[in-house]
mmCIF file of all heavy atoms in Angstrom:
data_model
loop_
_atom_site.group_PDB
_atom_site.id
_atom_site.type_symbol
_atom_site.label_atom_id
_atom_site.label_comp_id
_atom_site.label_asym_id
_atom_site.label_seq_id
_atom_site.Cartn_x
_atom_site.Cartn_y
_atom_site.Cartn_z
ATOM 1 N N MET K 1 0.860 -1.171 0.000
ATOM 2 C CA MET K 1 0.000 0.000 0.000
ATOM 3 C C MET K 1 0.906 1.234 0.000
ATOM 4 O O MET K 1 1.839 1.326 0.781
ATOM 5 C CB MET K 1 -0.893 -0.027 1.245
ATOM 6 C CG MET K 1 -1.990 0.966 1.216
ATOM 7 S SD MET K 1 -3.152 0.903 2.631
ATOM 8 C CE MET K 1 -3.649 -0.793 2.677
ATOM 9 N N ASP K 2 0.609 2.184 -0.880
ATOM 10 C CA ASP K 2 1.452 3.373 -0.964
ATOM 11 C C ASP K 2 1.105 4.379 0.140
ATOM 12 O O ASP K 2 0.108 4.232 0.852
ATOM 13 C CB ASP K 2 1.365 4.018 -2.348
ATOM 14 C CG ASP K 2 -0.025 4.541 -2.698
ATOM 15 O OD1 ASP K 2 -0.804 4.838 -1.774
ATOM 16 O OD2 ASP K 2 -0.324 4.659 -3.892
ATOM 17 N N ALA K 3 1.955 5.380 0.260
ATOM 18 C CA ALA K 3 1.789 6.370 1.340
ATOM 19 C C ALA K 3 0.487 7.151 1.208
ATOM 20 O O ALA K 3 -0.165 7.451 2.215
ATOM 21 C CB ALA K 3 2.982 7.318 1.360
ATOM 22 N N PHE K 4 0.091 7.486 -0.012
ATOM 23 C CA PHE K 4 -1.158 8.227 -0.220
ATOM 24 C C PHE K 4 -2.340 7.422 0.295
ATOM 25 O O PHE K 4 -3.179 7.932 1.045
ATOM 26 C CB PHE K 4 -1.343 8.562 -1.707
ATOM 27 C CG PHE K 4 -2.686 9.170 -2.007
ATOM 28 C CD1 PHE K 4 -2.928 10.502 -1.738
ATOM 29 C CD2 PHE K 4 -3.708 8.402 -2.541
ATOM 30 C CE1 PHE K 4 -4.174 11.070 -1.998
ATOM 31 C CE2 PHE K 4 -4.948 8.950 -2.803
ATOM 32 C CZ PHE K 4 -5.181 10.292 -2.535
ATOM 33 N N THR K 5 -2.407 6.162 -0.110
ATOM 34 C CA THR K 5 -3.524 5.302 0.296
ATOM 35 C C THR K 5 -3.546 5.115 1.804
ATOM 36 O O THR K 5 -4.605 5.240 2.437
ATOM 37 C CB THR K 5 -3.430 3.938 -0.412
ATOM 38 O OG1 THR K 5 -3.462 4.151 -1.828
ATOM 39 C CG2 THR K 5 -4.566 3.019 -0.005
ATOM 40 N N THR K 6 -2.392 4.855 2.374
ATOM 41 C CA THR K 6 -2.295 4.671 3.823
ATOM 42 C C THR K 6 -2.766 5.922 4.554
ATOM 43 O O THR K 6 -3.564 5.849 5.493
ATOM 44 C CB THR K 6 -0.855 4.329 4.228
ATOM 45 O OG1 THR K 6 -0.465 3.126 3.563
ATOM 46 C CG2 THR K 6 -0.730 4.154 5.725
ATOM 47 N N SER K 7 -2.292 7.066 4.109
ATOM 48 C CA SER K 7 -2.676 8.331 4.736
ATOM 49 C C SER K 7 -4.178 8.584 4.600
ATOM 50 O O SER K 7 -4.834 8.988 5.562
ATOM 51 C CB SER K 7 -1.890 9.477 4.102
ATOM 52 O OG SER K 7 -2.311 10.714 4.621
ATOM 53 N N LEU K 8 -4.708 8.345 3.420
ATOM 54 C CA LEU K 8 -6.129 8.569 3.190
ATOM 55 C C LEU K 8 -6.981 7.655 4.077
ATOM 56 O O LEU K 8 -7.956 8.102 4.689
ATOM 57 C CB LEU K 8 -6.464 8.348 1.715
ATOM 58 C CG LEU K 8 -7.898 8.614 1.291
ATOM 59 C CD1 LEU K 8 -8.325 10.039 1.629
ATOM 60 C CD2 LEU K 8 -8.059 8.346 -0.193
ATOM 61 N N LEU K 9 -6.595 6.402 4.174
ATOM 62 C CA LEU K 9 -7.359 5.472 5.013
ATOM 63 C C LEU K 9 -7.290 5.854 6.482
ATOM 64 O O LEU K 9 -8.292 5.751 7.205
ATOM 65 C CB LEU K 9 -6.872 4.039 4.791
ATOM 66 C CG LEU K 9 -7.149 3.460 3.400
ATOM 67 C CD1 LEU K 9 -6.542 2.076 3.270
ATOM 68 C CD2 LEU K 9 -8.633 3.443 3.091
ATOM 69 N N HIS K 10 -6.137 6.332 6.926
ATOM 70 C CA HIS K 10 -6.021 6.801 8.312
ATOM 71 C C HIS K 10 -6.897 8.033 8.545
ATOM 72 O O HIS K 10 -7.532 8.158 9.602
ATOM 73 C CB HIS K 10 -4.567 7.111 8.669
ATOM 74 C CG HIS K 10 -3.737 5.897 8.901
ATOM 75 N ND1 HIS K 10 -3.916 5.059 9.982
ATOM 76 C CD2 HIS K 10 -2.727 5.358 8.185
ATOM 77 C CE1 HIS K 10 -3.058 4.067 9.917
ATOM 78 N NE2 HIS K 10 -2.328 4.218 8.819
ATOM 79 N N ARG K 11 -6.927 8.926 7.574
ATOM 80 C CA ARG K 11 -7.772 10.119 7.696
ATOM 81 C C ARG K 11 -9.247 9.738 7.749
ATOM 82 O O ARG K 11 -10.026 10.344 8.496
ATOM 83 C CB ARG K 11 -7.504 11.085 6.544
ATOM 84 C CG ARG K 11 -6.141 11.753 6.640
ATOM 85 C CD ARG K 11 -5.867 12.656 5.469
ATOM 86 N NE ARG K 11 -6.864 13.725 5.393
ATOM 87 C CZ ARG K 11 -7.042 14.491 4.309
ATOM 88 N NH1 ARG K 11 -6.299 14.303 3.240
ATOM 89 N NH2 ARG K 11 -7.955 15.432 4.319
ATOM 90 N N ILE K 12 -9.637 8.739 6.964
ATOM 91 C CA ILE K 12 -11.026 8.278 6.983
ATOM 92 C C ILE K 12 -11.365 7.682 8.345
ATOM 93 O O ILE K 12 -12.417 7.985 8.915
ATOM 94 C CB ILE K 12 -11.287 7.268 5.843
ATOM 95 C CG1 ILE K 12 -11.278 8.011 4.497
ATOM 96 C CG2 ILE K 12 -12.603 6.518 6.057
ATOM 97 C CD1 ILE K 12 -11.290 7.106 3.288
ATOM 98 N N GLU K 13 -10.481 6.862 8.876
ATOM 99 C CA GLU K 13 -10.708 6.281 10.204
ATOM 100 C C GLU K 13 -10.839 7.371 11.261
ATOM 101 O O GLU K 13 -11.717 7.305 12.128
ATOM 102 C CB GLU K 13 -9.569 5.341 10.574
ATOM 103 C CG GLU K 13 -9.560 4.050 9.796
ATOM 104 C CD GLU K 13 -8.359 3.175 10.112
ATOM 105 O OE1 GLU K 13 -7.623 3.477 11.073
ATOM 106 O OE2 GLU K 13 -8.159 2.192 9.399
ATOM 107 N N ALA K 14 -9.966 8.388 11.183
ATOM 108 C CA ALA K 14 -10.017 9.490 12.150
ATOM 109 C C ALA K 14 -11.320 10.270 12.016
ATOM 110 O O ALA K 14 -11.945 10.628 13.017
ATOM 111 C CB ALA K 14 -8.814 10.410 11.963
ATOM 112 N N ALA K 15 -11.745 10.518 10.790
ATOM 113 C CA ALA K 15 -12.991 11.256 10.568
ATOM 114 C C ALA K 15 -14.185 10.464 11.086
ATOM 115 O O ALA K 15 -15.113 11.035 11.671
ATOM 116 C CB ALA K 15 -13.153 11.589 9.081
ATOM 117 N N GLN K 16 -14.175 9.141 10.883
ATOM 118 C CA GLN K 16 -15.264 8.313 11.395
ATOM 119 C C GLN K 16 -15.307 8.366 12.922
ATOM 120 O O GLN K 16 -16.383 8.462 13.517
ATOM 121 C CB GLN K 16 -15.096 6.863 10.920
ATOM 122 C CG GLN K 16 -15.356 6.702 9.443
ATOM 123 C CD GLN K 16 -14.971 5.335 8.917
ATOM 124 O OE1 GLN K 16 -14.072 4.681 9.444
ATOM 125 N NE2 GLN K 16 -15.634 4.913 7.859
ATOM 126 N N SER K 17 -14.140 8.319 13.536
ATOM 127 C CA SER K 17 -14.062 8.394 14.993
ATOM 128 C C SER K 17 -14.535 9.753 15.501
ATOM 129 O O SER K 17 -15.306 9.837 16.458
ATOM 130 C CB SER K 17 -12.620 8.136 15.427
ATOM 131 O OG SER K 17 -12.498 8.230 16.810
ATOM 132 N N ASP K 18 -14.087 10.816 14.834
ATOM 133 C CA ASP K 18 -14.509 12.174 15.215
ATOM 134 C C ASP K 18 -16.011 12.345 15.048
ATOM 135 O O ASP K 18 -16.666 12.985 15.880
ATOM 136 C CB ASP K 18 -13.767 13.221 14.383
ATOM 137 C CG ASP K 18 -12.284 13.284 14.693
ATOM 138 O OD1 ASP K 18 -11.858 12.743 15.739
ATOM 139 O OD2 ASP K 18 -11.538 13.886 13.880
ATOM 140 N N LEU K 19 -16.554 11.777 13.985
ATOM 141 C CA LEU K 19 -17.997 11.853 13.750
ATOM 142 C C LEU K 19 -18.758 11.137 14.864
ATOM 143 O O LEU K 19 -19.749 11.661 15.378
ATOM 144 C CB LEU K 19 -18.342 11.259 12.384
ATOM 145 C CG LEU K 19 -19.817 11.215 12.002
ATOM 146 C CD1 LEU K 19 -20.432 12.611 12.021
ATOM 147 C CD2 LEU K 19 -19.979 10.561 10.633
ATOM 148 N N SER K 20 -18.286 9.982 15.252
ATOM 149 C CA SER K 20 -18.934 9.245 16.345
ATOM 150 C C SER K 20 -18.915 10.045 17.641
ATOM 151 O O SER K 20 -19.924 10.117 18.350
ATOM 152 C CB SER K 20 -18.243 7.904 16.566
ATOM 153 O OG SER K 20 -18.455 7.059 15.471
ATOM 154 N N ARG K 21 -17.767 10.657 17.949
ATOM 155 C CA ARG K 21 -17.665 11.466 19.173
ATOM 156 C C ARG K 21 -18.595 12.673 19.124
ATOM 157 O O ARG K 21 -19.226 13.025 20.126
ATOM 158 C CB ARG K 21 -16.221 11.911 19.404
ATOM 159 C CG ARG K 21 -15.359 10.828 20.029
ATOM 160 C CD ARG K 21 -14.060 11.379 20.586
ATOM 161 N NE ARG K 21 -13.209 11.960 19.564
ATOM 162 C CZ ARG K 21 -12.373 11.273 18.779
ATOM 163 N NH1 ARG K 21 -12.289 9.965 18.907
ATOM 164 N NH2 ARG K 21 -11.623 11.885 17.891
ATOM 165 N N ALA K 22 -18.699 13.297 17.960
ATOM 166 C CA ALA K 22 -19.592 14.450 17.823
ATOM 167 C C ALA K 22 -21.040 14.033 18.029
ATOM 168 O O ALA K 22 -21.811 14.740 18.686
ATOM 169 C CB ALA K 22 -19.408 15.093 16.446
ATOM 170 N N ARG K 23 -21.400 12.883 17.486
ATOM 171 C CA ARG K 23 -22.768 12.378 17.673
ATOM 172 C C ARG K 23 -23.037 12.082 19.139
ATOM 173 O O ARG K 23 -24.098 12.421 19.664
ATOM 174 C CB ARG K 23 -22.994 11.131 16.830
ATOM 175 C CG ARG K 23 -23.171 11.429 15.365
ATOM 176 C CD ARG K 23 -23.431 10.179 14.573
ATOM 177 N NE ARG K 23 -23.714 10.498 13.177
ATOM 178 C CZ ARG K 23 -23.371 9.730 12.172
ATOM 179 N NH1 ARG K 23 -22.743 8.581 12.382
ATOM 180 N NH2 ARG K 23 -23.662 10.096 10.938
ATOM 181 N N GLU K 24 -22.081 11.430 19.801
ATOM 182 C CA GLU K 24 -22.245 11.101 21.217
ATOM 183 C C GLU K 24 -22.374 12.358 22.071
ATOM 184 O O GLU K 24 -23.099 12.364 23.067
ATOM 185 C CB GLU K 24 -21.057 10.265 21.705
ATOM 186 C CG GLU K 24 -21.038 8.863 21.159
ATOM 187 C CD GLU K 24 -19.737 8.119 21.466
ATOM 188 O OE1 GLU K 24 -18.889 8.653 22.210
ATOM 189 O OE2 GLU K 24 -19.583 7.000 20.951
ATOM 190 N N ALA K 25 -21.670 13.426 21.670
ATOM 191 C CA ALA K 25 -21.715 14.676 22.416
ATOM 192 C C ALA K 25 -22.974 15.482 22.103
ATOM 193 O O ALA K 25 -23.278 16.457 22.798
ATOM 194 C CB ALA K 25 -20.477 15.514 22.102
ATOM 195 N N GLY K 26 -23.696 15.082 21.067
ATOM 196 C CA GLY K 26 -24.903 15.812 20.700
ATOM 197 C C GLY K 26 -24.621 17.150 20.038
ATOM 198 O O GLY K 26 -25.475 18.034 20.028
ATOM 199 N N ASP K 27 -23.432 17.295 19.462
ATOM 200 C CA ASP K 27 -23.024 18.554 18.814
ATOM 201 C C ASP K 27 -23.402 18.499 17.333
ATOM 202 O O ASP K 27 -22.655 18.000 16.498
ATOM 203 C CB ASP K 27 -21.516 18.743 18.988
ATOM 204 C CG ASP K 27 -21.028 20.090 18.512
ATOM 205 O OD1 ASP K 27 -21.669 20.694 17.621
ATOM 206 O OD2 ASP K 27 -19.985 20.537 19.022
ATOM 207 N N ASP K 28 -24.592 19.005 17.019
ATOM 208 C CA ASP K 28 -25.107 18.926 15.655
ATOM 209 C C ASP K 28 -24.222 19.635 14.641
ATOM 210 O O ASP K 28 -24.044 19.151 13.518
ATOM 211 C CB ASP K 28 -26.523 19.495 15.579
ATOM 212 C CG ASP K 28 -27.528 18.642 16.340
ATOM 213 O OD1 ASP K 28 -27.266 17.430 16.525
ATOM 214 O OD2 ASP K 28 -28.572 19.181 16.759
ATOM 215 N N PHE K 29 -23.673 20.783 15.001
ATOM 216 C CA PHE K 29 -22.795 21.506 14.080
ATOM 217 C C PHE K 29 -21.555 20.669 13.765
ATOM 218 O O PHE K 29 -21.180 20.498 12.605
ATOM 219 C CB PHE K 29 -22.373 22.866 14.652
ATOM 220 C CG PHE K 29 -21.382 23.576 13.779
ATOM 221 C CD1 PHE K 29 -21.789 24.188 12.600
ATOM 222 C CD2 PHE K 29 -20.042 23.622 14.120
ATOM 223 C CE1 PHE K 29 -20.868 24.828 11.777
ATOM 224 C CE2 PHE K 29 -19.116 24.258 13.319
ATOM 225 C CZ PHE K 29 -19.533 24.869 12.142
ATOM 226 N N LEU K 30 -20.932 20.131 14.797
ATOM 227 C CA LEU K 30 -19.732 19.319 14.600
ATOM 228 C C LEU K 30 -20.050 18.039 13.829
ATOM 229 O O LEU K 30 -19.247 17.589 13.017
ATOM 230 C CB LEU K 30 -19.069 19.007 15.937
ATOM 231 C CG LEU K 30 -17.683 18.371 15.867
ATOM 232 C CD1 LEU K 30 -16.726 19.206 15.029
ATOM 233 C CD2 LEU K 30 -17.125 18.182 17.274
ATOM 234 N N VAL K 31 -21.226 17.476 14.044
ATOM 235 C CA VAL K 31 -21.650 16.308 13.266
ATOM 236 C C VAL K 31 -21.666 16.671 11.787
ATOM 237 O O VAL K 31 -21.154 15.925 10.948
ATOM 238 C CB VAL K 31 -23.032 15.785 13.725
ATOM 239 C CG1 VAL K 31 -23.613 14.797 12.719
ATOM 240 C CG2 VAL K 31 -22.926 15.145 15.098
ATOM 241 N N ASP K 32 -22.242 17.825 11.453
ATOM 242 C CA ASP K 32 -22.296 18.256 10.058
ATOM 243 C C ASP K 32 -20.896 18.450 9.476
ATOM 244 O O ASP K 32 -20.617 18.033 8.354
ATOM 245 C CB ASP K 32 -23.084 19.563 9.915
ATOM 246 C CG ASP K 32 -24.573 19.376 10.126
ATOM 247 O OD1 ASP K 32 -25.049 18.219 10.066
ATOM 248 O OD2 ASP K 32 -25.261 20.386 10.362
ATOM 249 N N VAL K 33 -20.015 19.076 10.250
ATOM 250 C CA VAL K 33 -18.646 19.321 9.793
ATOM 251 C C VAL K 33 -17.920 17.999 9.553
ATOM 252 O O VAL K 33 -17.295 17.800 8.504
ATOM 253 C CB VAL K 33 -17.871 20.185 10.811
ATOM 254 C CG1 VAL K 33 -16.386 20.226 10.481
ATOM 255 C CG2 VAL K 33 -18.453 21.586 10.876
ATOM 256 N N GLU K 34 -18.013 17.100 10.502
ATOM 257 C CA GLU K 34 -17.323 15.818 10.376
ATOM 258 C C GLU K 34 -17.908 14.962 9.261
ATOM 259 O O GLU K 34 -17.178 14.271 8.547
ATOM 260 C CB GLU K 34 -17.343 15.053 11.705
ATOM 261 C CG GLU K 34 -16.590 15.731 12.827
ATOM 262 C CD GLU K 34 -15.114 15.961 12.540
ATOM 263 O OE1 GLU K 34 -14.540 15.306 11.650
ATOM 264 O OE2 GLU K 34 -14.526 16.816 13.228
ATOM 265 N N GLN K 35 -19.229 15.022 9.079
ATOM 266 C CA GLN K 35 -19.855 14.265 7.995
ATOM 267 C C GLN K 35 -19.374 14.782 6.645
ATOM 268 O O GLN K 35 -19.094 13.999 5.733
ATOM 269 C CB GLN K 35 -21.382 14.341 8.085
ATOM 270 C CG GLN K 35 -22.079 13.480 7.042
ATOM 271 C CD GLN K 35 -21.754 12.010 7.202
ATOM 272 O OE1 GLN K 35 -22.059 11.414 8.223
ATOM 273 N NE2 GLN K 35 -21.146 11.394 6.198
ATOM 274 N N GLU K 36 -19.270 16.088 6.500
ATOM 275 C CA GLU K 36 -18.775 16.663 5.242
ATOM 276 C C GLU K 36 -17.318 16.285 4.997
ATOM 277 O O GLU K 36 -16.920 16.006 3.861
ATOM 278 C CB GLU K 36 -18.953 18.182 5.218
ATOM 279 C CG GLU K 36 -20.385 18.611 5.013
ATOM 280 C CD GLU K 36 -21.003 18.020 3.754
ATOM 281 O OE1 GLU K 36 -20.364 18.051 2.684
ATOM 282 O OE2 GLU K 36 -22.126 17.502 3.845
ATOM 283 N N GLU K 37 -16.509 16.267 6.057
ATOM 284 C CA GLU K 37 -15.115 15.829 5.934
ATOM 285 C C GLU K 37 -15.068 14.381 5.454
ATOM 286 O O GLU K 37 -14.295 14.044 4.546
ATOM 287 C CB GLU K 37 -14.395 15.966 7.282
ATOM 288 C CG GLU K 37 -12.994 15.414 7.293
ATOM 289 C CD GLU K 37 -11.973 16.234 6.542
ATOM 290 O OE1 GLU K 37 -12.294 17.349 6.099
ATOM 291 O OE2 GLU K 37 -10.842 15.756 6.377
ATOM 292 N N LEU K 38 -15.889 13.549 6.040
ATOM 293 C CA LEU K 38 -15.932 12.143 5.648
ATOM 294 C C LEU K 38 -16.406 11.997 4.201
ATOM 295 O O LEU K 38 -15.832 11.210 3.427
ATOM 296 C CB LEU K 38 -16.843 11.371 6.605
ATOM 297 C CG LEU K 38 -16.777 9.862 6.570
ATOM 298 C CD1 LEU K 38 -15.350 9.346 6.759
ATOM 299 C CD2 LEU K 38 -17.678 9.285 7.638
ATOM 300 N N ASN K 39 -17.407 12.763 3.809
ATOM 301 C CA ASN K 39 -17.878 12.739 2.425
ATOM 302 C C ASN K 39 -16.762 13.136 1.459
ATOM 303 O O ASN K 39 -16.589 12.511 0.406
ATOM 304 C CB ASN K 39 -19.072 13.677 2.239
ATOM 305 C CG ASN K 39 -20.312 13.203 2.964
ATOM 306 O OD1 ASN K 39 -20.398 12.065 3.409
ATOM 307 N ND2 ASN K 39 -21.282 14.097 3.105
ATOM 308 N N ASP K 40 -16.018 14.185 1.809
ATOM 309 C CA ASP K 40 -14.909 14.633 0.960
ATOM 310 C C ASP K 40 -13.836 13.561 0.838
ATOM 311 O O ASP K 40 -13.295 13.330 -0.248
ATOM 312 C CB ASP K 40 -14.285 15.922 1.504
ATOM 313 C CG ASP K 40 -15.169 17.141 1.317
ATOM 314 O OD1 ASP K 40 -16.118 17.083 0.498
ATOM 315 O OD2 ASP K 40 -14.907 18.149 1.993
ATOM 316 N N LEU K 41 -13.529 12.903 1.944
ATOM 317 C CA LEU K 41 -12.514 11.850 1.917
ATOM 318 C C LEU K 41 -12.983 10.653 1.089
ATOM 319 O O LEU K 41 -12.191 10.066 0.349
ATOM 320 C CB LEU K 41 -12.160 11.416 3.347
ATOM 321 C CG LEU K 41 -11.410 12.462 4.162
ATOM 322 C CD1 LEU K 41 -11.344 12.038 5.630
ATOM 323 C CD2 LEU K 41 -10.017 12.718 3.603
ATOM 324 N N HIS K 42 -14.248 10.325 1.175
ATOM 325 C CA HIS K 42 -14.791 9.226 0.366
ATOM 326 C C HIS K 42 -14.742 9.589 -1.111
ATOM 327 O O HIS K 42 -14.412 8.729 -1.951
ATOM 328 C CB HIS K 42 -16.221 8.902 0.785
ATOM 329 C CG HIS K 42 -16.299 8.076 2.021
ATOM 330 N ND1 HIS K 42 -17.422 7.363 2.370
ATOM 331 C CD2 HIS K 42 -15.407 7.838 3.009
ATOM 332 C CE1 HIS K 42 -17.214 6.715 3.503
ATOM 333 N NE2 HIS K 42 -15.993 7.002 3.906
ATOM 334 N N ARG K 43 -15.058 10.839 -1.442
ATOM 335 C CA ARG K 43 -14.983 11.294 -2.826
ATOM 336 C C ARG K 43 -13.550 11.196 -3.336
ATOM 337 O O ARG K 43 -13.287 10.690 -4.430
ATOM 338 C CB ARG K 43 -15.490 12.738 -2.953
ATOM 339 C CG ARG K 43 -15.402 13.306 -4.367
ATOM 340 C CD ARG K 43 -15.663 14.810 -4.403
ATOM 341 N NE ARG K 43 -14.899 15.564 -3.416
ATOM 342 C CZ ARG K 43 -13.596 15.871 -3.534
ATOM 343 N NH1 ARG K 43 -12.903 15.460 -4.573
ATOM 344 N NH2 ARG K 43 -12.987 16.577 -2.597
ATOM 345 N N LEU K 44 -12.606 11.662 -2.527
ATOM 346 C CA LEU K 44 -11.198 11.614 -2.894
ATOM 347 C C LEU K 44 -10.743 10.166 -3.110
ATOM 348 O O LEU K 44 -10.029 9.861 -4.076
ATOM 349 C CB LEU K 44 -10.364 12.283 -1.804
ATOM 350 C CG LEU K 44 -8.879 12.458 -2.059
ATOM 351 C CD1 LEU K 44 -8.631 13.330 -3.281
ATOM 352 C CD2 LEU K 44 -8.214 13.076 -0.831
ATOM 353 N N ALA K 45 -11.166 9.293 -2.232
ATOM 354 C CA ALA K 45 -10.822 7.882 -2.370
ATOM 355 C C ALA K 45 -11.374 7.321 -3.683
ATOM 356 O O ALA K 45 -10.657 6.625 -4.415
ATOM 357 C CB ALA K 45 -11.353 7.091 -1.179
ATOM 358 N N ALA K 46 -12.615 7.629 -3.983
ATOM 359 C CA ALA K 46 -13.233 7.132 -5.214
ATOM 360 C C ALA K 46 -12.501 7.658 -6.445
ATOM 361 O O ALA K 46 -12.275 6.913 -7.408
ATOM 362 C CB ALA K 46 -14.710 7.532 -5.256
ATOM 363 N N GLU K 47 -12.120 8.911 -6.409
ATOM 364 C CA GLU K 47 -11.413 9.508 -7.547
ATOM 365 C C GLU K 47 -10.063 8.850 -7.800
ATOM 366 O O GLU K 47 -9.563 8.859 -8.917
ATOM 367 C CB GLU K 47 -11.207 11.008 -7.319
ATOM 368 C CG GLU K 47 -12.467 11.818 -7.439
ATOM 369 C CD GLU K 47 -12.265 13.283 -7.083
ATOM 370 O OE1 GLU K 47 -11.136 13.682 -6.735
ATOM 371 O OE2 GLU K 47 -13.265 14.020 -7.146
ATOM 372 N N HIS K 48 -9.471 8.279 -6.754
ATOM 373 C CA HIS K 48 -8.143 7.679 -6.875
ATOM 374 C C HIS K 48 -8.171 6.154 -6.795
ATOM 375 O O HIS K 48 -7.120 5.510 -6.683
ATOM 376 C CB HIS K 48 -7.218 8.254 -5.801
ATOM 377 C CG HIS K 48 -6.902 9.686 -6.044
ATOM 378 N ND1 HIS K 48 -5.920 10.102 -6.905
ATOM 379 C CD2 HIS K 48 -7.473 10.816 -5.558
ATOM 380 C CE1 HIS K 48 -5.878 11.419 -6.937
ATOM 381 N NE2 HIS K 48 -6.824 11.872 -6.124
ATOM 382 N N GLY K 49 -9.360 5.595 -6.841
ATOM 383 C CA GLY K 49 -9.490 4.144 -6.860
ATOM 384 C C GLY K 49 -9.119 3.453 -5.557
ATOM 385 O O GLY K 49 -8.759 2.283 -5.551
ATOM 386 N N VAL K 50 -9.238 4.180 -4.448
ATOM 387 C CA VAL K 50 -8.929 3.591 -3.135
ATOM 388 C C VAL K 50 -10.205 2.974 -2.592
ATOM 389 O O VAL K 50 -11.225 3.647 -2.470
ATOM 390 C CB VAL K 50 -8.388 4.670 -2.161
ATOM 391 C CG1 VAL K 50 -8.172 4.072 -0.782
ATOM 392 C CG2 VAL K 50 -7.100 5.271 -2.699
ATOM 393 N N ARG K 51 -10.131 1.699 -2.273
ATOM 394 C CA ARG K 51 -11.300 1.015 -1.711
ATOM 395 C C ARG K 51 -11.420 1.366 -0.230
ATOM 396 O O ARG K 51 -10.491 1.157 0.547
ATOM 397 C CB ARG K 51 -11.150 -0.488 -1.878
ATOM 398 C CG ARG K 51 -11.233 -0.914 -3.330
ATOM 399 C CD ARG K 51 -11.125 -2.401 -3.492
ATOM 400 N NE ARG K 51 -12.061 -3.063 -2.590
ATOM 401 C CZ ARG K 51 -12.110 -4.361 -2.431
ATOM 402 N NH1 ARG K 51 -11.266 -5.138 -3.077
ATOM 403 N NH2 ARG K 51 -12.977 -4.909 -1.604
ATOM 404 N N ILE K 52 -12.575 1.853 0.138
ATOM 405 C CA ILE K 52 -12.823 2.272 1.521
ATOM 406 C C ILE K 52 -12.843 1.065 2.457
ATOM 407 O O ILE K 52 -12.386 1.150 3.582
ATOM 408 C CB ILE K 52 -14.150 3.043 1.645
ATOM 409 C CG1 ILE K 52 -14.123 4.278 0.782
ATOM 410 C CG2 ILE K 52 -14.436 3.412 3.099
ATOM 411 C CD1 ILE K 52 -13.025 5.256 1.092
ATOM 412 N N ASP K 53 -13.314 -0.073 2.006
ATOM 413 C CA ASP K 53 -13.366 -1.242 2.868
ATOM 414 C C ASP K 53 -11.969 -1.694 3.281
ATOM 415 O O ASP K 53 -11.808 -2.414 4.251
ATOM 416 C CB ASP K 53 -14.138 -2.395 2.234
ATOM 417 C CG ASP K 53 -13.545 -2.881 0.927
ATOM 418 O OD1 ASP K 53 -12.787 -2.131 0.276
ATOM 419 O OD2 ASP K 53 -13.863 -4.007 0.541
ATOM 420 N N ALA K 54 -10.948 -1.189 2.603
ATOM 421 C CA ALA K 54 -9.568 -1.479 2.997
ATOM 422 C C ALA K 54 -9.246 -0.840 4.340
ATOM 423 O O ALA K 54 -8.367 -1.297 5.066
ATOM 424 C CB ALA K 54 -8.587 -0.991 1.933
ATOM 425 N N ALA K 55 -9.993 0.218 4.709
ATOM 426 C CA ALA K 55 -9.759 0.893 5.991
ATOM 427 C C ALA K 55 -10.058 -0.045 7.152
ATOM 428 O O ALA K 55 -9.394 -0.011 8.176
ATOM 429 C CB ALA K 55 -10.623 2.155 6.096
ATOM 430 N N ALA K 56 -11.029 -0.910 6.976
ATOM 431 C CA ALA K 56 -11.386 -1.850 8.035
ATOM 432 C C ALA K 56 -10.297 -2.908 8.217
ATOM 433 O O ALA K 56 -10.077 -3.387 9.320
ATOM 434 C CB ALA K 56 -12.719 -2.513 7.727
ATOM 435 N N ALA K 57 -9.609 -3.231 7.140
ATOM 436 C CA ALA K 57 -8.570 -4.263 7.210
ATOM 437 C C ALA K 57 -7.229 -3.704 7.651
ATOM 438 O O ALA K 57 -6.357 -4.442 8.070
ATOM 439 C CB ALA K 57 -8.422 -4.913 5.844
ATOM 440 N N ALA K 58 -7.063 -2.381 7.563
ATOM 441 C CA ALA K 58 -5.763 -1.762 7.883
ATOM 442 C C ALA K 58 -5.513 -1.720 9.369
ATOM 443 O O ALA K 58 -6.350 -1.830 10.187
ATOM 444 C CB ALA K 58 -5.710 -0.365 7.306
#
């Protein structure tokens, strides 16, 4: 796995974790921000052919 893919998958994992924490805290604004970050990362992954399910295996 190259550095770009590794970095992107780590960023996705971090965004998912941040999103979960925002939801648990009941911070609707932060939920929106984190969801948009996650959406952007998923878009970036798709544009570069990075499989998101690889994040679960990493």
Side-chain angles (χ1 to χ4, degrees):
M1 192 176 308
D2 63 24
F4 173 79
T5 301
T6 301
S7 176
L8 183 57
L9 293 176
H10 284 292
R11 290 178 60 195
I12 289 170
E13 288 176 10
Q16 289 170 331
S17 179
D18 292 345
L19 178 58
S20 292
R21 280 195 297 277
R23 285 182 175 147
E24 289 171 6
D27 187 334
D28 293 336
F29 175 75
L30 190 55
V31 167
D32 288 343
V33 169
E34 296 300 341
Q35 184 62 62
E36 286 304 314
E37 174 73 8
L38 194 54
N39 292 346
D40 288 343
L41 291 169
H42 281 199
R43 178 191 49 77
L44 186 61
E47 288 175 0
H48 291 277
V50 176
R51 292 182 50 186
I52 300 301
D53 60 339

